[in-house]
Amino acid sequence: MAAGRLISLLATLFLSVSLLLLWFTLLSGITSTSPLRQTYFLRADTSGITGARSISQWTYFRICGLDNADCGPARPGLPLGDAWASDADGVPDGLIGGYGDGTTSHEYWYMWRFGWVFYLIALFFMTCAFLGSWLACLGRLGAGLIATVSSVGLLFLSVAVALMTATFVKTRNAFVSDERSAELGAYGFGFSWGSWAAMFVATVLFCVARRGHASDGVGRSSKRWSGSTFGRRKSSGTAGSRRSWDGRRVKDEYA
């Protein structure tokens, strides 16, 4: 199998792993089955906060209780402060403000909202790259096209994961500073960063596959050129020998 085609298949494998991990991240909180039941971005002690559960877990679509049970309604673009009531008392400093019906400060509102949007844009480009990944097996042009689409998906995924990380690390620090227990979700962060790592490898491999297809093409062209040149030389040599032999025979006959 040509090197470019083999590398393209390997890149597609990493891309499919990246998509799978990203779906695990996005569907967290939707069902109680594993591993989605264990997937959340942040778990914090919200006892004593107006309208909040004793323990709150932030997932992609919902705010849930312990082990992603007792979840609120699923909705897109969830504000960070959806875990408590409007103008609630007892919220750590910096988290509450006038956004999201008086539940979220402008900093956390925009950080998480933009992170959510970039996740969706990354998902779109990653899906396009996956559906068209067979083009990368056909030749240099196809591999270059998929490498470009994959690079765009990687860019948006990088921004999404970075914003998610910044949002919930800062939120955890705010709870800890308020002397409340808080911890980051190992599954949520693991799936997100694992998806990014697999996407990074896939993008690099698609770029390498493009060069692999180019090398395969150069090798085949060199063989064809060498074969045709050798054939012409052999033919020329044979014709020259025939002309030389015929010339000597005619000369001998007239001698």
Side-chain angles (χ1 to χ4, degrees), residues 96-225:
I96 195 169
Y99 290 78
D101 295 329
T103 62
T104 312
S105 68
H106 72 281
E107 178 184 4
Y108 289 90
W109 170 267
Y110 283 113
M111 277 200 304
W112 182 225
R113 272 301 178 92
F114 276 106
W116 183 80
V117 170
F118 278 106
Y119 267 119
L120 293 182
I121 298 175
L123 177 64
F124 171 77
F125 281 101
M126 290 167 66
T127 302
C128 290
F130 179 75
L131 294 177
S133 59
W134 59 273
L135 293 172
C137 298
L138 300 182
R140 182 181 180 185
L141 182 60
L145 176 63
I146 300 304
T148 301
V149 177
S150 180
S151 298
V152 175
L154 176 64
L155 174 63
F156 283 107
L157 183 61
S158 299
V159 176
V161 174
L163 285 174
M164 181 276 294
T165 301
T167 300
F168 290 105
V169 168
K170 288 173 66 69
T171 304
R172 180 203 60 184
N173 294 342
F175 276 101
V176 172
S177 297
D178 198 47
E179 298 183 352
R180 293 175 178 270
S181 62
E183 62 179 17
L184 300 176
Y187 281 77
F189 274 74
F191 288 150
S192 294
W193 281 103
S195 177
W196 180 89
M199 190 62 185
F200 177 80
V201 174
T203 303
V204 171
L205 288 176
F206 279 125
C207 294
V208 173
R210 181 177 180 273
R211 299 188 64 178
H213 282 301
S215 299
D216 293 339
V218 170
R220 287 192 295 268
S221 298
S222 299
K223 290 179 181 179
R224 287 194 296 267
W225 184 86

Side-chain angles (χ1 to χ4, degrees), residues 230-249:
F230 177 75
R232 287 197 299 271
R233 288 179 178 176
K234 183 176 180 181
S235 176
S236 300
T238 303
S241 299
R242 186 180 299 112
R243 286 196 299 269
S244 177
W245 183 82
D246 291 342
R248 287 197 303 270
R249 188 177 65 174

